[in-house]
Amino acid sequence: MVKVGLTGGIGAGKSEVSRLLASYGAVIVDADKIAREVVEPGTPGLAAVVEEFGEDVLAPDGTLDRPKLGAIVFSDPEKLKALNAIVHPLVGARSAELEASAGPDTVVIHDVPLLTENGLAPLYDKVVVIDAAPQTQLDRLVRLRGMSEDEAKSRMAAQATREQRLAVADLVIDNDGPLEALEPQVREVWERLRDA
């Protein structure tokens, strides 16, 4: 088994790279997806978030109101730290379960947005960084995700810098260009990971 950490700043294109890698046969362990699962209604994770941040972070249907919670934590580093202290251990435990269920000859891709921020690079055999210029990220967040420019900049500022991510990379995928330029790079990275 080859354990790979896949990371990149918000708007860099992790979802598209994960989709391509999965199509080649990789097992994807998506930390963002797991982070949503561990705070679904009825979970200990959601109960802990409500205990920390109050009932106001719940939507009328009892689910987590992610935009409201995001507005709280991305404007206050201490509140973000408190949220991470709740969610990260739960995500780590579920990720380990999924990895353990993969076969011995598998390339397991851990899609971890905060890999650099949390010092997780040593946990993986290889780290793949999807790199995009900050202006490209900002454009994608505003144009494709409908964020305001201030909200997008706030989210970007809460993450590691481009230089910090590149410093932990074993392999880099440049995703500043059009989608058709991405696939050949991902295919090349896949070949290298399979041979690792």
Side-chain angles (χ1 to χ4, degrees), residues 92-174:
R94 180 67 180 133
S95 296
E97 286 173 20
L98 292 170
E99 181 183 292
S101 68
D105 297 328
T106 309
V107 175
V108 179
I109 306 286
H110 289 265
D111 181 337
V112 186
L114 300 178
L115 182 148
T116 306
E117 293 83 344
N118 294 321
L120 302 177
L123 300 178
Y124 304 103
D125 300 316
K126 298 283 183 196
V127 173
V128 176
V129 170
I130 303 149
D131 184 48
Q135 191 55 45
T136 302
Q137 292 174 260
L138 183 62
D139 173 65
R140 288 176 181 159
L141 295 174
V142 172
R143 189 170 43 84
L144 303 176
R145 295 200 197 174
M147 290 185 186
S148 71
E149 194 165 314
D150 286 344
E151 182 184 8
K153 285 179 177 177
S154 173
R155 298 278 177 108
M156 290 169 62
Q159 295 186 336
T161 65
R162 183 181 194 185
E163 293 74 24
Q164 289 168 325
R165 279 189 296 274
L166 291 172
V168 302
D170 294 302
L171 300 164
V172 177
I173 296 171
D174 176 1

Side-chain angles (χ1 to χ4, degrees), residues 1-2 17-29 102-103 105-109 186-187 190-191 193-194:
M1 176 185 299
V2 180
V17 171
S18 287
R19 187 189 67 72
L20 287 166
L21 289 168
S23 76
Y24 303 148
V27 171
I28 307 295
V29 179
D105 297 328
T106 309
V107 175
V108 179
I109 306 286
V186 178
R187 169 70 71 177
W190 170 248
E191 299 293 340
L193 293 173
R194 240 185 19 194

Side-chain angles (χ1 to χ4, degrees), residues 43-103:
T43 60
L46 183 59
V49 169
V50 170
E51 185 176 323
E52 178 70 31
F53 296 98
E55 299 272 337
D56 286 349
V57 298
L58 291 177
D61 65 358
T63 60
L64 185 61
D65 185 332
R66 294 183 171 283
K68 187 176 278 186
L69 182 60
I72 293 168
V73 301
F74 288 113
S75 62
D76 183 332
E78 288 306 310
K79 287 187 164 82
L80 180 59
K81 192 183 293 184
L83 177 63
N84 289 343
I86 294 167
V87 175
H88 289 172
L90 299 171
V91 171
R94 180 67 180 133
S95 296
E97 286 173 20
L98 292 170
E99 181 183 292
S101 68

